[in-house]
Amino acid sequence: MTANRDDVDDFLPLPPATFHILLALVEGERHGYAIIQDVEARTDGELRLSAGTLYRSVARMVEQGLIAEVVKRATRQDDERRRYYRITPLGTSVARAEMRRLTQLVRLARASGLSPETT
Amino acid sequence: MTRFYRALLRLYPGSFRREYEGELSAAFVQRVHGRSAAYTFLAALGDVVPNAVAMHVEILGRDLRFAARAVMRAPGFAITTILVVALGVGANTAAFSLADFVFLRPLPFHEPDRLVKLWQRTPDYGQMELSPGNYRDWKAASRSFSGFAVYSFQAANLVGGSEPRRLDVVKATPDLHQVLGVPALIGRPLAPADSEGVPVVVLSYALWQTQFGGDPGVIGRAVRLDGTPHTIVGVMPATFNFPQSGTDAWTPLVFREENYEDRTDTYITGIARLRDGVSTVQARNEMIGIAAQLAKAYPAELEDVSAWVLGLRDEVSSSARMLVLALCGAALCILLLACANLASLFLVRATSRVRELAVRTALGAGREQIIRQLVTESVTLSVFGGVVGIAVAWATVPLLARLVPQSLPLAASPTIDARVLAFAFALMIVTGLVFGVGPAIGAGKSNGLELLRAGTRTTGGRTRRVRAALVVIEISASVVLLILSGLLIRSVWNIQARDPGFHTQHLLTLRTALPPAKYDSVARREQYYERVLARVRALPGVERAAFITGLPMVMRGGIWGAGLNGVEPPRTGSHSVSLRFVTTGYFSAMDIPLRRGRDVENSDTQKSLFIAVVSESFAKRHWPDEDPIGKRFSVAFSERTVAGVVADVRVRGLEQESEPQVYIPYRQVEDGSLVGYLPKDLVVRSELPASALLPSLRAIVKEADPEQPVSHVRTIAQILEGETASRLTQLRLLMTLAIVGLLIAGVGIHGLLSFTVSRRIPELGVRRALGAQVGGIVRHVLGEGLRLAVAGVVVGVGLAYVAARGMGALLSEVKPEDPATIGVSAALCFATAILGCVRPAIRAARVDPIQALRSD
């Protein structure tokens, strides 16, 4: 399933939470709380998703086809109840597109002589 | 704490909650692990509330977009629904705003529920003014009231302010404002000390605005009322309209000892405040007892005179009350019709969408999502309709001002009340919900696949019966409306057909009320009247002109007792006459036929024989078989000889019986006596339009007396129109409602039969294939429509009969079972029903057997 460029662009710009969730799932399948932890670690504690925000995003992303629930459940006892999610090809395309968009943006900012450090 | 979080989760949309409940809780528990209870509590709130709100908003937005698309696909349905809702909301908001204004909203006084009016009561008159003597004794003896004031009406000419003006003044004992408990807007209201010293006047807000430009410095300024200097001490707020709207000013009413003497001179009305814990009935009983004692003390004057106490709000005549109630009833009928039609519309829509809903269910849409979608749709339509309805009500309510009884201390124009609006709105939304969503819930319960397989046919039977019942309700409601408006139309026709007793065309009237203090003798008045009349009669195009105390249907009182043999009996029962002073030429100006004898003449002076011209009914009452000319009788402190007999006129208006009339030459009165009866209304017979005549008339008055205001300019035809104005207003409203109701019923019948026919196309196809004639099929469809119409008409006629008997007070010379009205109404309903049948019948007749059998 290869995503059409136009379909992908319809998702941009991505809400930050969505982008972070996609990034968390690029490395592999994860359950909900693992996503929260991953995002928190990746952002040095700056972005702490609440359970509600996470699952609201998850529900929408499943509907949009960016991620999918993994039917196979984890084998460990305490994870029995948990649902795992994986990124879909569309999700990957969208994450890439967002990345391109952001890179482009940063490049434009640099070209205008702006630097991230305050002097 | 987890339990608290789980409870909070109920804020989320159900489908989301069910799907992710376990995950949400698990993630939340891990996140707050080891934190304090307070942190957990706040975190739970901060987590769930914003997210839940955001989700609901998202879904609502999606549903609204979906609803908009669905509405666009069926614009006819949307427009019909919006119109029906608008009609229901509009009609009811308007009618109930009026009812609320007249019956329910608190009057603008302090504790208005404890205010009562006091009247004398005789076997002939349920409510009659008091005499000062009775007021004094009633007030001294009663224990029921914490305050008891009286007032009387008086018109006065105001000089001072922008230009001379005629005012409707209320003279009240100075404790009036205290009894009502309303403070002045600026300055002060009347106070007990005002009974002495320089006369004072309190202005109404409207007079202050128009005559004094709203100048706050008006307090302390001197003005002249009928020539007497008065000091302005206060201005009342705009909401203060006591005793009725249009009152311009209040001045102190002061009684002198001699005012207490004549107990039959009744001209003041009592207003009192009940003491704590005293009910109106208790006060009434006390006053009846006091009146009975007075009747014993003054048997000659007060025989049969009792007392009556009435809550201020109850001061509404039964016919005025009925006008408003009938309107509310009609509005309820429309609401019923609107609800029935909405129900019908939503039902058929839900039925036609069963397949769509089944497809969506099969594609994975939850029942909750579908119901939510339908709720959004029907509420959206209802809200649109409601907004249009409010606009309708906004436009209509001011038109209802004529239905506000004038006897109430209210401003004339009712306003839309937010509570009524909210009620009508809520009703419409509930209707939309019940009928828009109910069927969907039923549909949602059944198995989606089954529905998909069955198409539209399975749910047809029950829906059809419900819709048939709704059509019957619609027809009967419109029959009720038609019959009631028909009866009222006939009543108005009957009233309009009554002969007022005078010719009504080409008569212009205006009022120049002379201040009695300035015009204190017959000689001075004679100068004015003769000068004005001579010049008016000389105007080109003017045929005749005259002055009278008060025009018929405008001045309804002026009642005296008249008797034979030098006895002047009380003004009640078979003695009463309506008394008027006239100049020469009054009867010919009004075209009141002179039956015998002569008109009033210029030679009838204070020095000549005191004469009177009487009406036929008066002559017949006293001298049934004799020639009345030359007969003598006593009225208003003098003995008179009958000089002429004229035809009767309807002094009390077209709807009431009038007393016999006695006309007296204006010169034949003692100076200073009967000053309330000075001729003030000028009638001018001319074929010229009022606009052409008026400037010359004003100039003539101004030349005769520059300080004399001209007021009440109108034609006699306008006065007569005023007689039926409130009825006509109500009638137009009822008719509009009836026609609208009929249309709704027609649409309902059409919708039902179209639905039936489309559902039965395969069956009709089979019939045709088996050789049924087109005529038979058309008859079949028409028959169904007519059966519903018959059922509706039968129910409607029964209901209308009950309603018409309830409003008997409004019916004039027409019976509730009037066959013509019922016949016409029923015929109209049948005609509508047949019209509604036509298209479905044609469609049924055109069914092609082959296609019909193939289609399903």
Side-chain angles (χ1 to χ4, degrees):
Chain A
M1 186 167 120
T2 45
N4 184 314
R5 183 73 187 262
D6 286 347
D7 287 350
V8 170
D9 283 349
D10 280 348
F11 288 97
L12 305 186
L14 279 183
T18 306
F19 193 42
H20 281 292
I21 294 171
L22 286 176
L23 294 185
L25 293 180
V26 166
E27 292 170 7
E29 300 168 1
R30 279 189 180 19
H31 62 71
Y33 189 65
I35 298 176
I36 295 181
Q37 285 175 314
D38 191 275
V39 170
E40 193 176 346
R42 199 187 303 280
T43 61
D44 288 337
E46 237 168 71
L47 183 63
R48 290 203 56 182
L49 294 175
S50 72
T53 313
L54 173 74
Y55 280 103
R56 185 152 75 85
S57 304
V58 164
R60 197 179 49 234
M61 288 163 79
V62 168
E63 210 177 290
Q64 290 170 334
L66 298 180
I67 59 175
E69 200 179 326
V70 181
V71 181
K72 160 184 75 88
R73 295 284 153 103
T75 45
R76 269 171 51 194
Q77 197 73 29
D78 61 325
D79 281 349
E80 197 172 29
R81 252 181 357 185
R82 297 234 172 125
R83 299 183 182 185
Y84 281 71
Y85 297 93
R86 64 174 171 81
I87 193 164
T88 63
L90 175 67
T92 312
S93 307
V94 168
R96 284 210 181 97
E98 176 72 355
M99 203 177 142
R100 269 198 304 276
R101 189 182 70 86
L102 292 173
T103 316
Q104 179 82 0
L105 215 57
V106 170
R107 215 168 39 225
L108 286 175
R110 286 246 159 79
S112 70
L114 192 71
S115 109
E117 284 78 36
T118 46
T119 48
Chain B
M1 198 37 84
T2 329
R3 206 178 296 157
F4 173 66
Y5 185 76
R6 281 184 173 272
L8 271 183
L9 287 181
R10 304 203 74 85
L11 293 176
Y12 282 116
S15 54
F16 176 76
R17 191 187 70 234
R18 278 189 294 278
E19 181 79 19
Y20 294 106
E21 198 164 23
E23 307 295 315
L24 282 163
S25 303
F28 180 74
V29 168
Q30 279 182 312
R31 248 198 97 184
V32 298
H33 182 72
R35 302 290 194 141
S36 70
Y39 176 87
T40 311
F41 176 77
L42 289 176
L45 281 178
D47 179 6
V48 177
V49 174
N51 279 309
V53 169
M55 282 197 91
H56 281 287
V57 169
E58 254 170 54
I59 294 180
L60 182 67
R62 206 164 51 208
D63 283 351
L64 280 176
R65 278 193 300 278
F66 199 88
R69 274 203 302 275
V71 164
M72 291 307 205
R73 272 204 306 274
F77 167 77
I79 290 171
T80 319
T81 310
I82 288 175
L83 284 183
V84 168
V85 174
L87 207 70
V89 171
N92 279 278
T93 309
F96 288 104
S97 293
L98 177 70
D100 171 69
F101 187 73
V102 173
F103 298 129
L104 297 177
R105 215 178 291 183
L107 296 170
F109 308 118
H110 176 65
E111 295 183 9
D113 293 344
R114 291 183 30 219
L115 291 172
V116 292
K117 275 192 160 183
L118 287 97
W119 301 92
Q120 289 189 182
R121 177 168 247 217
T122 67
D124 301 304
Y125 297 99
Q127 284 162 239
M128 199 175 152
E129 283 78 11
L130 324 179
S131 64
N134 282 355
Y135 163 56
R136 184 188 57 186
D137 295 345
W138 285 15
K139 189 174 183 175
S142 63
R143 294 281 165 270
S144 299
F145 310 116
S146 60
F148 182 177
V150 289
Y151 60 88
S152 72
F153 296 93
Q154 196 191 39
N157 296 345
L158 171 78
V159 179
S162 43
E163 58 182 76
R165 210 186 115 173
R166 186 75 186 157
L167 298 188
D168 286 322
V169 177
V170 163
K171 295 193 80 153
T173 49
D175 51 351
L176 175 76
H177 290 120
Q178 226 171 309
V179 170
L180 295 173
V182 179
L185 181 67
I186 57 170
R188 62 168 179 86
L190 295 179
D194 291 332
S195 44
E196 283 157 28
V198 181
V200 298
V201 58
V202 173
L203 308 180
S204 75
Y205 184 83
L207 181 68
W208 180 52
Q209 288 294 324
T210 55
Q211 198 74 4
F212 300 95
D215 173 16
V218 79
I219 306 298
R221 198 191 292 182
V223 292
R224 278 189 299 142
L225 285 176
D226 274 358
T228 316
H230 282 68
T231 308
I232 299 173
V233 294
V235 175
M236 295 308 287
T239 49
F240 186 80
N241 293 283
F242 189 86
Q244 59 192 33
S245 60
T247 304
D248 292 310
W250 296 266
T251 59
L253 173 63
V254 182
F255 297 117
R256 286 190 301 271
E257 204 49 46
E258 63 262 32
N259 295 129
Y260 294 121
E261 280 162 21
D262 182 1
R263 286 186 188 259
T264 64
D265 189 12
T266 57
Y267 63 93
I268 53 180
T269 310
I271 171 95
R273 179 172 289 281
L274 294 172
R275 233 181 250 291
D276 272 334
V278 179
S279 73
T280 309
V281 175
Q282 285 168 333
R284 185 184 295 161
N285 290 336
E286 188 197 15
M287 296 320 294
I288 290 173
I290 293 170
Q293 281 172 359
L294 283 174
K296 273 184 211 141
Y298 304 92
E301 298 132 298
L302 296 183
E303 188 199 358
D304 285 347
V305 174
S306 183
W308 198 244
V309 178
L310 200 62
L312 190 53
R313 173 67 85 174
D314 304 323
E315 187 84 334
V316 180
S317 73
S318 64
S319 66
R321 183 185 298 269
M322 207 67 82
L323 281 172
V324 176
L325 287 181
L327 188 65
C328 287
L332 274 180
C333 269
I334 284 292
L335 190 65
L336 187 67
L337 269 164
C339 283
N341 211 284
L342 268 191
S344 203
L345 281 168
F346 279 123
L347 262 179
V348 76
R349 180 146 168 90
T351 318
S352 69
R353 288 175 73 182
V354 162
R355 211 193 267 257
E356 176 202 330
L357 297 182
V359 169
R360 289 181 61 195
T361 311
L363 291 178
R367 197 172 141 218
E368 173 204 309
Q369 279 167 303
I370 286 183
I371 291 177
R372 193 169 179 146
Q373 173 59 41
L374 290 172
V375 168
T376 311
E377 260 181 60
S378 49
V379 170
T380 307
L381 288 176
S382 300
V383 167
F384 266 114
V387 169
V388 179
I390 290 167
V392 170
W394 215 280
T396 328
V397 164
L399 305 179
L400 303 181
R402 273 186 196 279
L403 295 180
V404 175
Q406 299 199 325
S407 55
L408 284 180
L410 293 169
S413 62
T415 46
I416 288 192
D417 187 85
R419 289 171 301 146
V420 180
L421 211 64
F423 169 74
F425 217 68
L427 204 68
M428 280 298 150
I429 288 183
V430 167
T431 314
L433 284 184
V434 169
F435 293 104
V437 181
I441 294 178
K445 268 184 195 149
S446 12
N447 183 322
L449 274 179
E450 205 176 286
L451 285 172
L452 197 55
R453 220 179 290 129
T456 50
R457 271 182 294 169
T458 40
T459 50
R462 207 188 63 211
T463 309
R464 212 187 65 82
R465 277 195 297 280
V466 175
R467 295 195 72 206
L470 290 172
V471 166
V472 170
I473 292 177
E474 285 174 25
I475 295 178
S476 34
S478 44
V479 169
V480 170
L481 284 177
L482 281 174
I483 292 185
L484 293 189
S485 28
L487 290 174
L488 288 172
I489 291 173
R490 297 210 55 181
S491 300
V492 171
W493 283 349
N494 288 338
I495 291 165
Q496 283 176 336
R498 285 179 191 155
D499 179 10
F502 48 87
H503 200 76
T504 56
Q505 297 306 307
H506 309 305
L507 275 172
L508 180 67
T509 116
L510 56 81
R511 182 171 296 174
T512 63
L514 304 179
K518 183 173 172 188
Y519 289 92
D520 56 355
S521 68
V522 168
R524 296 191 71 158
R525 296 199 284 270
E526 185 172 359
Q527 269 183 351
Y528 173 83
Y529 292 133
E530 297 310 321
R531 185 167 188 167
V532 170
L533 285 180
R535 298 210 44 196
V536 171
R537 286 169 184 158
L539 285 175
V542 170
E543 296 163 43
R544 296 182 280 264
F547 277 100
I548 182 168
T549 305
L551 291 165
M553 299 182 192
V554 175
M555 177 179 181
R556 293 161 192 252
I559 306 301
W560 289 76
L564 306 185
N565 309 321
V567 181
E568 197 179 312
R571 317 161 184 226
T572 54
S574 57
H575 310 292
S576 56
V577 296
S578 78
L579 186 75
R580 303 286 184 270
F581 281 75
V582 293
T583 63
T584 57
Y586 174 71
F587 305 112
S588 66
M590 293 284 281
D591 262 349
I592 300 172
L594 184 66
R595 302 289 193 212
R596 303 181 71 89
R598 64 170 176 88
D599 188 1
V600 168
E601 281 165 12
N602 281 331
S603 54
D604 296 320
T605 64
Q606 272 171 311
K607 304 228 166 50
S608 66
L609 178 71
F610 272 24
I611 60 123
V613 174
V614 301
S615 71
E616 281 178 306
S617 58
F618 183 81
K620 203 176 282 172
R621 179 164 87 191
H622 294 284
W623 309 283
D625 304 312
E626 295 171 74
D627 183 359
I629 302 298
K631 293 283 193 277
R632 297 171 69 78
F633 67 98
S634 297
V635 70
F637 319 128
S638 61
E639 181 144 53
R640 309 250 163 200
T641 303
V642 176
V645 178
V646 291
D648 275 273
V649 299
R650 286 188 171 268
V651 176
R652 282 194 183 267
L654 294 178
E655 296 202 35
Q656 273 178 292
E657 287 305 311
S658 300
E659 289 85 1
Q661 297 99 52
V662 170
Y663 302 92
I664 289 173
Y666 78 92
R667 292 184 180 92
Q668 293 192 329
V669 62
E670 301 296 331
D671 288 345
S673 167
L674 294 170
V675 290
Y677 286 79
L678 304 186
K680 58 182 182 293
D681 286 334
L682 172 68
V683 281
V684 180
R685 174 167 294 281
S686 166
E687 304 235 342
L688 294 177
S691 53
L693 207 51
L694 202 55
S696 337
L697 295 179
R698 282 188 191 277
I700 291 171
V701 171
K702 190 161 191 177
E703 190 241 10
D705 181 348
E707 287 189 346
Q708 181 56 48
V710 169
S711 65
H712 297 78
V713 179
R714 51 197 164 166
T715 63
I716 295 282
Q718 281 168 339
I719 292 173
L720 215 70
E721 273 168 30
E723 277 293 285
T724 46
S726 62
R727 273 179 175 279
L728 285 175
T729 307
Q730 186 213 29
L731 191 59
R732 280 187 206 117
L733 281 165
L734 264 186
M735 292 256 294
T736 313
L737 293 182
I739 290 169
V740 164
L742 199 63
L743 284 178
I744 295 183
V747 171
I749 293 173
H750 174 261
L752 175 70
L753 291 179
S754 306
F755 172 69
T756 315
V757 167
S758 65
R759 202 175 58 85
R760 288 174 51 188
I761 281 181
E763 180 206 328
L764 294 172
V766 172
R767 285 188 184 213
R768 283 295 305 279
L770 292 178
Q773 292 300 305
V774 172
I777 286 174
V778 170
R779 259 202 304 282
H780 190 78
V781 173
L782 281 178
E784 175 163 3
L786 284 180
R787 268 200 303 282
L788 294 176
V790 169
V793 166
V794 168
V795 175
V797 167
L799 289 175
Y801 180 71
V802 175
R805 284 183 57 123
M807 48 184 243
L810 283 183
L811 301 184
S812 175
E813 296 167 35
V814 58
K815 291 207 168 67
E817 63 271 18
D818 182 54
T821 309
I822 293 175
V824 170
S825 309
L828 275 174
C829 275
F830 282 123
T832 312
I834 290 171
L835 276 179
C837 293
V838 168
R839 248 182 60 179
I842 291 176
R843 211 173 135 205
R846 285 203 184 139
V847 167
D848 175 6
I850 308 294
Q851 219 172 5
L853 290 174
R854 213 183 274 148
S855 75
D856 207 56

